[in-house]
Amino acid sequence: LADQLDEWAEETLTPAYEDGTYTADDIAAAELRMPEIIREFIAEPGNIQAGDKLTLLIENADFSSGSGATNIPGWTIKSGAITELSASYHNIEAYHKTFDFSQTIQNMPKGAYKLKVQGFVRLDGTNTADHMVLYAGINKTAFKTIKDEYSLYPLLGTTKDEETGLYTESTGAWPYDSYFTTDDGETAYVPNSMQGANEYFSAVNPMTGQPFYLNEVTVILAEDGDLVIGVSCDVTDMWILWDNFELEYVGNEANLYEETINTMVEELQDLATADDAFITAKAAQLIDELPAQAETVIGNDDADECIAFIQTLQEAIAYVEEGNTKGAQLITQASIFQDYLVDEITSGYNDFLDLLDNIAGYVDDATVVADNDAIDAISASLKAEWGKFVMYDVTDASEEAPVDVTPVILNYDYTNYGITSSNANYWTTDSVSAPGFQSFAEAEFFNCNYRHSQKLEGLKAGYYTLSVDGFYRAGYPADYTDSLAAVCNAVLFAESAEGTFTTPMLNAIVGALSEEESLGVGSTSTIEGLTVANGLIPNNMEAAFAYIEAGLYSDNAVVAAVGEDGVLTIGLKKSNKIDGDWTIFTNWKLAYLGTEAPTAVKDITSAAAAGQMKIYSINGTEQTTLRRGVNIIRMTDGSVRKVLVK
């Protein structure tokens, strides 16, 4: 490799350098060409050996280039965000953020590789370290926690011994090392800042003889191709730091794969006895047959066959893990229905109860379920059957005597029926930002667009009133004007085969209270100088919950029609964003009005017939009734609104 690089330099770089014709573009091209030469060398059979270090193929492996949250040469933030790359300490921090941070190394020869990175996670909430992983290809490993390793003296402290040059004390205040007491009663020091992390990443842990906080994962490329490496976190209650990626070629000999195959076989078999095991008939077949095949593959002593079988094991493990996860979710969902809902509702629909009994039996033997697709089908039928269960005995509903069928909406108040608080189970969200929760039974979206929905099934055909408590704040309170007080970009919607039915959410200003009326709960902001209204409006979830409980934001409602298929998708959506806008909501409700059209629906047709309003198509053609598509409604006072019927 050195000879090839020397030859390339003599032919390309040296002449231009010596005659002074080398340009900035030439330098940039050379920087790109050098790793290409290295990769071409590596791809040639026999040019790399087991143990060779290939870190130079990772662009900006030590983060010596770049700064801030987005300027990180060589790396891609595929989702989420980091906090920053420190230009001073050349490490990366993510504080309470989700992210997927990666780089693709192209044209790598097949074989086994070991990827390393220094890094740690401080657990600031209830989540475990396995939510933060180092990955290479499809293989991953959980990051070390900050307390997995430590120093018996501070590496960044407040008091230093003049003779040894070592720190002896730390106050624990940022940026100096924090400390804790080990099980052995020793005082242990850990980093507490990016500066402190740099000290640890630059030192060797005397207890292990390795650099501090070294994480590693092994990956096998089954064929020549690209290798994707990176780190990712899917929760927001962790402080994470990392630096110094390394890549090593392990080799491509059959004997190198024997340990990997045996480890993966054990992992596959362990899945059958896991606490959340849900072993379908297909999963049981994989667990029964693959260990015997492994012995044959190892005995054949063929590297390519070993690699192909490792792929098979990877797919099998992923499949069984997926089944266990889906099965556990199904069991939990059924138990929620059984423990928290069925006892509260009287229904003659026994098919749903029989389905619950069947699912309970899967805990002891899930092999009666064919495969993972069958789990999905059972889960889907469970929700549809639940709707039928709730609606089964509903009769004689009308606009004057509506019947409350709110339990059809799963997790309608974001408490998940007492299982866990503050979550969006059963709801689907399409957004750049997940719905936010704290310790309150409500959901929020801040400064982003979204579609937050749930599909209801098993409903009776007819008309329903859908409502939700909450409001939309049209930007930051300090920016409020009369025009913003009239804006509502958040829309309550209900979609069915009969049409799409919408209404804007209440603007936060409608619930404004005077100082004398203040609820004294949570944080509020004062709106002043408007002609429409002024006063205190909520500025955090606690205050919003108090306002909602006081009935100040309870008038969000829409009437929707449901067809014979019994399906209604409900939710909130927003496609236009004002800087600092905020939607917060809870307490979904659904009431059945029977099969006769409510007065509000009748009024549109009757008003048109009486000449009090006119209905037009989107092309301006006058109509006598609502039709599928966009209908333009023009009242005699000149006001206009759109009604969409699908």
Side-chain angles (χ1 to χ4, degrees), residues 19-318:
D19 62 21
T21 60
Y22 218 56
T23 66
D25 289 341
D26 293 331
I27 295 173
E31 289 176 341
L32 293 174
R33 178 55 184 150
M34 187 179 299
E36 289 178 355
I37 295 173
I38 296 170
R39 291 191 186 97
E40 291 168 1
F41 177 85
I42 289 172
E44 291 294 326
N47 278 353
I48 58 171
Q49 307 298 322
D52 281 354
K53 309 298 183 185
L54 304 179
T55 302
L56 49 84
L57 292 180
I58 304 175
E59 184 179 351
N60 202 17
D62 60 358
F63 307 117
S64 55
S65 298
S67 63
T70 57
N71 177 26
I72 310 171
W75 296 89
T76 299
I77 302 174
K78 293 195 291 187
S79 64
I82 65 165
T83 302
E84 70 167 317
L85 185 163
S86 170
S88 299
Y89 306 113
H90 307 298
N91 51 31
I92 292 183
E93 173 186 56
Y95 180 74
H96 291 192
K97 294 181 180 293
T98 61
F99 57 87
D100 188 347
F101 179 88
S102 70
Q103 181 173 148
T104 300
I105 308 174
Q106 298 177 330
N107 304 322
M108 300 296 286
K110 66 183 178 182
Y113 296 85
K114 184 177 293 184
L115 178 70
K116 300 179 182 180
V117 70
Q118 288 178 272
F120 60 79
V121 53
R122 187 183 69 199
L123 308 177
D124 291 344
T126 59
N127 286 301
T128 53
D130 56 357
H131 289 276
M132 170 62 201
V133 299
L134 166 69
Y135 66 85
I138 65 171
N139 290 13
K140 60 185 179 182
T141 187
F143 248 40
K144 291 183 176 180
T145 72
I146 198 168
K147 292 184 178 180
D148 283 341
E149 297 187 20
Y150 53 84
S151 174
L152 295 179
Y153 57 89
L155 298 190
L156 182 62
T158 49
T159 304
K160 182 180 288 188
D161 186 297
E162 294 184 1
E163 292 186 7
T164 64
L166 300 177
Y167 288 104
T168 57
E169 292 182 15
S170 174
T171 62
W174 183 92
Y176 305 107
D177 288 359
S178 59
Y179 52 86
F180 65 96
T181 303
T182 68
D183 292 339
D184 297 329
E186 295 180 307
T187 299
Y189 295 90
V190 293
N192 194 32
S193 64
M194 300 183 81
Q195 181 182 358
N198 182 60
E199 297 296 330
Y200 280 78
F201 292 160
S202 302
V204 172
N205 186 341
M207 301 180 201
T208 64
Q210 297 288 327
F212 271 98
Y213 299 115
L214 193 62
N215 306 273
E216 65 177 55
V217 63
T218 297
V219 62
I220 293 168
L221 283 182
E223 56 187 19
D224 297 350
D226 296 346
L227 174 61
V228 180
I229 63 172
V231 292
S232 68
C233 180
D234 60 4
V235 294
T236 58
D237 60 355
M238 297 180 176
W239 178 53
I240 307 158
L241 272 154
W242 66 92
D243 194 4
N244 301 323
F245 274 89
E246 298 178 17
L247 184 64
E248 177 184 333
Y249 181 64
V250 177
N252 187 31
E253 301 295 332
N255 65 300
L256 295 173
Y257 302 126
E258 180 176 351
E259 181 179 353
T260 298
I261 290 174
N262 287 332
T263 299
M264 295 179 73
V265 166
E266 290 179 10
E267 183 179 353
L268 179 66
Q269 293 172 323
D270 288 344
L271 290 172
T273 58
D275 291 339
D276 62 347
F278 193 98
I279 306 303
T280 63
K282 181 175 179 179
Q285 182 180 5
L286 293 171
I287 293 170
D288 180 60
E289 295 178 355
L290 291 182
Q293 294 179 26
E295 294 182 8
T296 302
V297 170
I298 291 172
N300 290 342
D301 196 30
D302 183 282
D304 289 343
E305 186 179 0
C306 286
I307 289 177
F309 188 68
I310 286 171
Q311 266 194 312
T312 299
L313 285 172
Q314 288 173 334
E315 293 168 359
I317 290 170

Side-chain angles (χ1 to χ4, degrees), residues 2 27 63 80 92 94 143 174 192 213 281 335 378 403 405 451 540 555 590 592:
I27 295 173
F63 307 117
I92 292 183
F143 248 40
W174 183 92
N192 194 32
Y213 299 115
S335 69
I378 295 168
V403 177
V405 292
R451 177 186 167 90
N540 67 2
D555 295 328
L590 188 68
Y592 183 50

Side-chain angles (χ1 to χ4, degrees), residues 462-507:
Y463 293 89
Y464 293 80
T465 297
L466 172 70
S467 64
V468 67
D469 295 342
F471 62 82
Y472 170 76
R473 190 187 70 195
Y476 291 108
D479 299 332
Y480 246 66
T481 61
D482 281 333
S483 60
L484 287 180
V487 170
C488 191
N489 291 331
V491 175
L492 170 65
F493 70 86
E495 300 169 346
S496 73
E498 301 300 306
T500 295
F501 311 90
T502 64
T503 190
M505 289 287 283
L506 295 172
N507 191 292

